[in-house]
Amino acid sequence: MTSRTSLVSTLPSFPWDSLASARALAERHPDGIVDLSVGTPVDETPRVAQEALAAASDAHGYPTVAGTGELREAIVDFCRAHRGAPRALEVSGVLPTIGSKELVAHLPFQLGIGAEEAVAFPHIAYPTYDLGARLAGSRPVPLDVRALAREGEGALGSDVCLDSVRLLWLNTPSNPTGAVLSVEEMRALLAWARERDIIVASDECYAPLTWDVEEAPSILDERVNDGDLTGVLCAYSLSKQSNLAGYRAAFVAGDPALVGELLAVRKHSGLMMPGPIQKAMTAALGDEASASRQRETYRARREILAPALEAFGGRIEHAEAGLYLWTTFGESSNASIECLAELGILAAPGTFYGEAGARHVRISLTATDERIASAAERLRAAR
């Protein structure tokens, strides 16, 4: 009898499991651990979303995979108002998803990208882009997307093989670095992809959280795509802007033909957002006031933590937007993790995000004001 090869045996270890010893060290600090390793929101979910959820709690029937008409209209309105989407974007081009991570992990498979094809993504990136390629049996291709946008394929080096790439992921603002692609860079990347019949999917979950740039443009923006959404998908989540991480409220928007493919596959799979969550998400999409307040909360935390890291000898790179401070102390990421853990601060090593992050750590702003202040105080005292 032929032995079975399990799927899990083909996958890398879950990165955060490797932080157990650093976590244990940080927890021994007299003032307790400051966990800045995972970007999970700690602030209150907006009341408007909570109230909509409660009002819809008598949800005895199955929800639709496509989402309610009300929700899809709200997504269209949001994309036009906040992501620069053209009038061409209609409800046929949007679809709610059960958080954005499941979309990232399964998009190559749901688009039918297979073993003879490849998925490209930023060379410093959240590991789920790589995982999504592996789950589909495709070849993962990390590459410097900014170099590709500015200088073309010649800037990538001979070891990067772009043959058979069928999907290019962008992530702007970047997790982990906070770097933001400009309109011109995104135009260049889209033009390059269209010449080769490559789908471009842009993960834009951190777009409202801009600090050192005026905006984080979208792949949906008419300035990027000239009003043509062919071959374009935007992934967006309310986890960060509205503290809805526990609700798993996200969407994909763009090319109606591609969205139609996803809808058909997801119907067969039963990937339906719960009805009460759809109501809560609809309410949150229209709640600009709460999103604006949350942005200022993160700005205040950043203004406390960033100078303390610099006083401790860190150099923050990029971090133009988003929830993370991409920091190097001029040493290996593992050494930096150990050093911070001795102060009771837990961060994520840059190696989680690719070989290019080997001398960096990702430090999250998602902790309470009190914990952020405590971390800053420890860093300053130890300099």
Side-chain angles (χ1 to χ4, degrees), residues 37 46 59 77 108 110 130 145 159 180 186 221 224 251 273 292 319 359 367:
S37 66
D77 290 344
Q110 291 178 6
D130 178 276
V145 294
D159 59 331
V180 175
M186 295 186 80
D221 196 313
V224 172
F251 64 81
M273 178 182 288
S292 179
R359 296 177 69 81

Side-chain angles (χ1 to χ4, degrees), residues 21-201:
S21 61
R23 178 180 294 278
L25 175 59
E27 287 174 341
R28 292 198 290 269
H29 190 276
D31 188 37
I33 188 173
V34 181
D35 189 348
L36 306 180
S37 66
V38 181
T40 185
V42 299
D43 301 306
E44 184 183 43
T45 298
R47 298 302 302 177
V48 66
Q50 294 188 46
E51 291 166 1
L53 180 71
S57 61
D58 182 17
H60 43 79
Y62 290 113
T64 63
V65 174
T68 65
E70 179 186 33
L71 173 56
R72 297 179 91 182
E73 290 283 3
I75 294 172
V76 170
D77 290 344
F78 180 89
C79 289
R80 289 176 179 170
H82 299 284
R83 307 310 302 136
R87 300 299 298 177
L89 181 68
E90 299 180 344
V91 293
S92 60
V94 302
L95 184 65
T97 63
I98 309 167
S100 59
K101 184 171 183 177
E102 66 94 345
L103 177 72
V104 173
H106 298 118
L107 185 65
F109 167 74
Q110 291 178 6
L111 289 174
I113 297 171
E116 303 302 318
E117 298 171 314
V119 176
F121 49 85
H123 68 309
I124 301 177
Y126 195 64
T128 310
Y129 307 112
D130 178 276
L131 176 70
R134 295 174 187 272
L135 288 175
S138 303
R139 179 169 59 90
V141 181
L143 56 84
D144 186 338
V145 294
R146 177 156 273 164
L148 176 61
R150 293 179 174 180
E151 303 173 51
E153 293 182 20
L156 300 179
S158 58
D159 59 331
V160 176
C161 176
L162 298 175
D163 295 345
S164 72
V165 170
R166 291 295 172 262
L167 172 65
L168 169 65
W169 272 108
L170 307 180
N171 178 210
T172 178
S174 164
N175 172 12
T177 72
V180 175
L181 293 172
S182 67
V183 168
E184 293 74 22
E185 288 168 332
M186 295 186 80
R187 280 184 65 88
L189 289 164
L190 181 56
W192 175 86
R194 282 177 164 168
E195 288 176 359
R196 294 157 180 80
D197 196 27
I198 296 171
I199 297 167
V200 177

